[in-house]
Every structure is written in structure tokens, then in C-alpha cells.
Amino acid sequence: MAGASKAVNDSRANLPFVYRQYNAEQLRNVLYKMYLIRRFEEGAEECYTRGLIHGTMHLSIGQEASAMGICMPLSEDDQITSTHRGHGHCIAKGAEVKRMFAEFFGKTTGYCKGRGGSMHIADVGKGNLGANGIVGGGIPIAVGAALSSKMMKTGKVVVSFFGDGANNEGAFHEALNMAAIWKLPVIFVCENNGYGMSTSTARSTAVKNIAERAAAYSMPGVIVNGNIFSEVAEASNKAVERARAGEGPTLIESKTYRHRGHSKSDRNRYRSKEEIEDWMSNRDPITLFESELREFGFIDDKGIEAIRGAVAQEIADGIEFAKASPSPDVRDTGDYVYTEQA
Amino acid sequence: MDAMVRELSYAQAIQEAMAIAMDMDERVFLMGEDIGVYGGAFQVTGDLVDRFGTERVIDTPISELGGAGVAVGAALTGMRPIFEFQFSDFATLAMEQIVNQAAKMRFMLGGEVSVPVVMRFPAGSGTGAAAQHSQSLEAWLGHVPGLKVIQPATPYDAKGMLLAAVADPDPVMIFEHKLLYKMKGPVPEGFYTVPIGKADVRREGRDLTVVATSIMVHKALDAAAALEAEGIDIEVVDLRTIRPMDKQTVIDSVKKTSRLMCVYEAVKTLGIGAEVSAMIAESEAFDYLDAPIVRLGGAETPIPYNPELEKAVVPQVPDIIAAARDLVRGVR
Ligand SMILES: Cc1ncc(C[n+]2csc(CCOP(=O)(O)OP(=O)(O)O)c2C)c(N)n1
Ligand SMILES: [Mg+2]
């Protein structure tokens, strides 16, 4: 998602950040990708329900603006660490859905050759250092990647995505402190969807806003509405600039909501139907972005239809690709445990 | 069937044991992630929060190291916590408190204290949860003096051994295979205990001793039933406790059958199979052996996501049948 361009049109001067920063094609591409994330997860869910995919999965439906907004100022070389709820991050960082579906189907053409599944999905070639089955597991790894960037002078910025639940793991605190003392080019992105599984942040976390924890590690703590693409992208832009300038880390708290249950085994007993309904009908990130695009004249109904149609086609093709791909040979269970050496 | 005995699932049996323990002793309480209104990731605590309240069924933040440490501290000072890890894999985040603190505190302080904490670990593969949610790490903890480590294989034992664990003055680690949670079996009502440190001969036989743990006990019994038709008579020993190990039961069995095979899901090398084999090699049973000892364990790999690969990396019934047949017929 590189290539932020200068404002093309003075009449946009009063519009929110992204409409000044990016051109119409870039913005329409963001909408495309948000739909791609949404439809990918709906498609995966349906395949799961039909028994085509096993295991479990954690859907980020409702959090698409957060993934897209954060990745907007990143170049392909920049890196991310992701979470168990990582499909959106993966697509936002440039992965192809067909190889993601193939992974879910356990096929050799999948990003992890069928070894990782949903919880470990990543296109490493696009700078994604991995989804993670361990809550908070990716946070110190991102700091390590940022240390590499500094030592190797690559100029790469690293983003660590994690949830609100992860901010109560020791790894979060240890990692933020090191990033701060060494002024590393890393951005900590807490996607606060209100719950870690069934446990609300009010019950799990001593501070009201996770961004407040930035103060303990002497870095900026920024709160954004994670369902408004422009707000997220603006905060990410600032944090990326700061990181590239060698000024150190930022903690961004992106407040959002997951529409679906935690995983496939959630009875949703810890939150009300009304609450879920409210977020789905009144604060859906795709609906919000789409209406802004329309209102500001970046797209019309025909354009939206075209995007939806193209996304549906990419999803259908992706599932077909996954189904037609070969399964790994059971004799190859020893592969990838260690690095192959000549 | 006795009126007092019902069919319960393994998960229900554990839940009943925890409820009995809490009813009997006010010091007993539960801690873990999402064990309250969610009922636990595997619904083991279920609705206990409705009965005992949030003061005694405590949802912790996602903080395994801190949470386990809090349980250790509470146990050290008079309470009787039962701490649930959401998956046994997350024990790795809490190793410090388990291995350096809980296990050694009594020893380091010269016997002045004890740490009666119980920790529960949903373990094992077979659910498609991939490499970080499917491990069998019991031998890690089995390596630590000061801990007791158990692996009940049936609902009956799950209840009785949990009640024994709560009554035990020292830290007891319980590994529960996730695929066992729905398995049903007879469970008596009310309080009873099954001793920690005692193996159980699940099936008597002449030709071969199979020492198995956890879910492998059931697979070994299935294999034994299949081999009966071929005239091969297998004795299945359910180890039940890996530390302290019931050596005598295994020795006696091997002296009777003259052959030993160990079957366990954890990675084959440096594990339970090595321990049982070496123990036999060091014992008087060694002279009775008619064949080399065989270990069937997990492949030397993390657990893969793909379901066929996932099955292929842990021993299955046909693997046990084939290995047992070869061993008894002298192919090995
Ligand atoms: C160390 C660790 N503890 C517990 C879990 C089980 N678990 C997986 S996701 C999750 C909730 C995470 O909440 P949060 O960080 O807010 O992310 P969200 O699921 O809301 O995206 C839990 C408890 C885990 N995977 N790893
Ligand atoms: Mg959350």
C-alpha cells in the first residue's frame, strides 16, 4: 500500500485525511480490499460450516478498516507481526486470497504448505512475519525485527498487531520498554475490540484506554476510531513518519468490534444482542467508508457494484483453486522442522 | 448399574469433582481464562460460576505467568486454587512460576511451607488447532522434582484423581487430553479419590505389556481387542501418573509378559517412553525380556494443521496393532 501522493485537488482541503492524501484509484482499491477481507472470511466461515475446513478460526469481520488503515502507509518491505485474528492483516499486507484459502484447506499451495492453517497464516514474501497462536507472542518479535532494521540500516518499519487481551501479557510490557529505550522503528497497534474472548477490557485491564500504557514507556499513545479508515490511516502515517525518522515507537489503540464470536465455539453469552446489532448496523467500517467515498464523489453506485462483483469473482476463484490444489504427502511430515541443508 | 453410578463425560466428571471440592472446602477456588460466563474453552467449568460466584470462579486477564504465580502465592498462604490453563501449550508462558517457584518452594525453605496448587492443562492434538495448541508437554513438567504430574484417561479417574490432587499438599499438574473431554464412562456420585502414583492394569494379558498414557490407553485397548482374534494377548497398563511413577506395576507386568511397548502421544524421544524403558532395563524385569523394547510416540515434528498429517504424526490404532504384532511374532 505504498505511494501516498500529494493532494490532487484543492477542493478536498476540508475533507478527512485520506481524501487529501490519496487519489481516487488508491481509495477505491482500499474499498476493494476491505470487501476482499470481509468476503474472504465469510467464504472461509461457510467452508468451515460445510465441513470443508477443519480446526477453528477467528474472524475479524468488523475490523477491516483497522487492518487497512494501519497498512496504508507501509511499503512492501515494511513488516508486520499478526495475531490469531490475522486474515485481515494478511490481506491488507498484500497476500492473495487463493493461497490463503489453500492454506485453510490444508493444501501444499497454501502459504504455510498446509502446516499452519488459519492461526499461522502469512505471506512472508509480503513482509508478514506470521499470525500467531500465542496471545502477545508477536509483540517482542516485532521489536526484534525493528532491531534488525536499525542494525542493518534497511529503513524498514515494523508494525505489531495485537488485541486488547494481549496487553496484559508480560511480553507486551517487556517489548514496549525495549522498543522505547532503543528508539526502534516499531508501531504497536492494539486492536481493541472490547473483549479478549469473553473477558471485557473493563474486567481485565486496569486502565480505561490501553493507549494510556504508552506513558509508562515514554512513547506517544494514540486513540483512534478503528472503524473509520481515515482516522486509522492518519495515525498510522504519523507513526510511520516518526519511526522512519528514528524517533522511536508509537502505541496506537484502534477501537473496534468483532461482529462474530471469538472463534467457532463461542456462545456469545458475555455480550448482548443489542450491542452486537448496534455495531453491525451503525458502525460497520465498510459501510462507513463506502458512504464517505460516495459522498465525496470518489465512487458511484456502478463503481461499488463493480467492486463487489470483482471481489465475489476473486473469492470464488480462490476457493476453486484451493479445492483443486494437492494435499501434502503424509510421508513428508518431517519437512520444514529444520532448515534443509545441502 | 449401581444407582450411584452414572455415565458422565470426562469434562463433566472434572466439573463435578471441582464442585465437590468447593462444596467441601471453602479454601478451594478456580482461576483461569474465560472459565466464568464462557464456561472455559472446553466447557469444563461450565456453569460453575452461577453456583459459586465470581469470587470463587475467577476469570483472569490473559496473563499466564502472573496468573499461575498468583495461584502459587495463594496456595502458599492457605488457599487451595485450581488453576486452568486454556491450552497446555500456554504452560510455556508460566514455566517460571511452575518450575522455579511452585516446585521448589518447600525444598528451598527447608520444609517450612507447602504449595497445594492444582493446575489443569488441556493437552494433545486431533482438533486441527495446529502447532501452538496441540502439544503434549507433560514430560517437561515430569522432569521437575517437587511436582506431581498425572494424566487420567477415564472420566472415573479424572474425577477421583482431581479430588486426590486437591487434597494433596504439593503441586499437582493434571494433563487432560482434549479428545477425551466428550468421552463418557461410569462415574460414582459423591466424593472418592483415585490415588496419585498408582498405575492401573486396564486389561490383563500374557504376550506383551503395553504401557500407555492418556488417550493412548484407549487406542491400546482397541488394538488389544483387535489382536485377540489373532491369538495375541496384550496387557495394557495405564500409567496414570508420570511423576512419581508406579514402577512396580510395570515391572510386575513385564516379568509376566516378557515384552514391553510404550505408547504415548508426546514426541517419541526424551520422553515417557525413554523413562519407562530405562526403568525396566535397570530393574529385575530386564532379565525377563524376550525382545527389544519398543516405543511408539509422536513424530519428531510440531503438530501440523492438515488433518491427514496431524493423524500421521501421532500413534493410531493400526500403528499399535502392527507394532504389537511384529513384537510378539519376533519380527523385531
Ligand atoms: C498465551 C495465550 N493465552 C491464551 C490464549 C487463548 N486465546 C486465544 S485468543 C484469546 C483472546 C485474545 O483477546 P485479544 O488479545 O483481545 O484479541 P481478540 O481475540 O479480541 O482479537 C485467548 C484468550 C492464547 N492463544 N495464547
Ligand atoms: Mg480483543
Side-chain angles (χ1 to χ4, degrees), chain A residues 164-165 191 193 195-196:
Chain A
D164 46 285
E191 297 188 308
N193 56 14
Y195 299 88

Side-chain angles (χ1 to χ4, degrees), chain A residues 104 106 133 168-169 198 269, chain B residues 34 37 43 63-64 132 305-306:
Chain A
F104 284 38
N168 294 314
E169 289 283 12
S198 68
R269 294 208 310 183
Chain B
D34 306 287
V37 62
Q43 295 302 313
S63 306
E64 288 79 10
Q132 294 174 336
Y305 162 72
N306 174 289

Side-chain angles (χ1 to χ4, degrees), chain A residues 54-323:
Chain A
H54 89 146
T56 189
M57 60 179 73
H58 306 86
L59 302 175
S60 68
I61 292 177
Q63 306 187 177
E64 295 88 348
S66 184
M68 285 305 298
I70 293 294
C71 290
M72 197 66 192
L74 300 184
S75 73
E76 196 167 305
D77 279 350
D78 292 328
Q79 292 167 323
I80 66 168
T81 63
S82 174
T83 69
H84 59 285
R85 205 174 299 290
H87 313 148
H89 309 146
C90 196
I91 293 172
K93 197 68 180 66
E96 290 182 277
V97 293
K98 65 176 190 180
R99 293 196 57 198
M100 292 176 67
F101 275 122
E103 186 57 34
F104 284 38
F105 278 70
K107 301 299 181 71
T108 54
T109 51
Y111 277 116
C112 315
K113 320 269 191 333
R115 269 64 172 187
S118 160
M119 234 177 326
H120 305 291
I121 193 96
D123 181 353
V124 177
K126 288 275 162 47
N128 184 348
L129 300 174
N132 212 308
I134 300 301
V135 168
I139 310 176
I141 292 172
V143 174
L147 181 63
S148 284
S149 166
K150 188 173 177 182
M151 295 177 89
M152 296 163 77
K153 299 189 174 48
T154 57
K156 288 181 193 182
V157 167
V158 187
V159 167
S160 178
F161 287 103
F162 53 91
D164 46 285
N167 96 102
N168 294 314
E169 289 283 12
F172 165 87
H173 296 271
E174 298 180 24
L176 263 71
N177 185 55
M178 284 185 275
I181 58 175
W182 298 325
K183 276 197 184 324
L184 297 177
V186 57
I187 302 166
F188 300 101
V189 178
C190 179
E191 297 188 308
N192 182 351
N193 56 14
Y195 299 88
M197 214 156 147
S198 68
T199 311
S200 67
T201 50
R203 292 203 298 131
S204 70
T205 304
V207 288
K208 187 155 178 293
N209 302 298
I210 285 144
E212 292 167 33
R213 294 200 157 159
Y217 305 104
S218 253
M219 67 178 78
V222 185
I223 299 174
V224 295
N225 181 332
N227 285 16
I228 299 182
F229 170 69
S230 185
E231 270 200 37
V232 183
E234 184 167 13
S236 185
N237 263 273
K238 276 207 191 105
V240 168
E241 271 175 30
R242 179 178 146 83
R244 288 218 207 279
E247 290 162 20
T250 302
L251 171 60
I252 298 175
E253 177 178 5
S254 175
K255 299 221 190 237
T256 182
Y257 198 79
R258 61 168 156 75
H259 294 179
R260 296 295 200 271
H262 166 71
S263 67
K264 302 314 294 176
S265 61
D266 186 346
R267 297 179 292 169
N268 269 315
R269 294 208 310 183
Y270 50 87
R271 53 183 192 173
S272 67
K273 277 210 177 65
E274 294 70 37
E275 178 183 300
I276 302 172
E277 200 34 53
D278 172 45
W279 281 88
M280 289 178 71
S281 335
N282 304 322
R283 287 180 263 182
D284 181 85
I286 300 184
T287 311
L288 292 178
F289 182 53
E290 194 174 87
S291 18
E292 278 187 356
L293 281 178
R294 205 191 324 241
E295 186 187 331
F296 302 146
F298 288 92
I299 202 165
D300 56 14
D301 286 353
K302 252 180 78 185
I304 292 171
E305 270 323 303
I307 284 178
R308 290 182 188 166
V311 167
Q313 190 60 52
E314 187 171 348
I315 296 299
D317 292 348
I319 293 174
E320 280 317 304
F321 172 82
K323 283 184 182 162

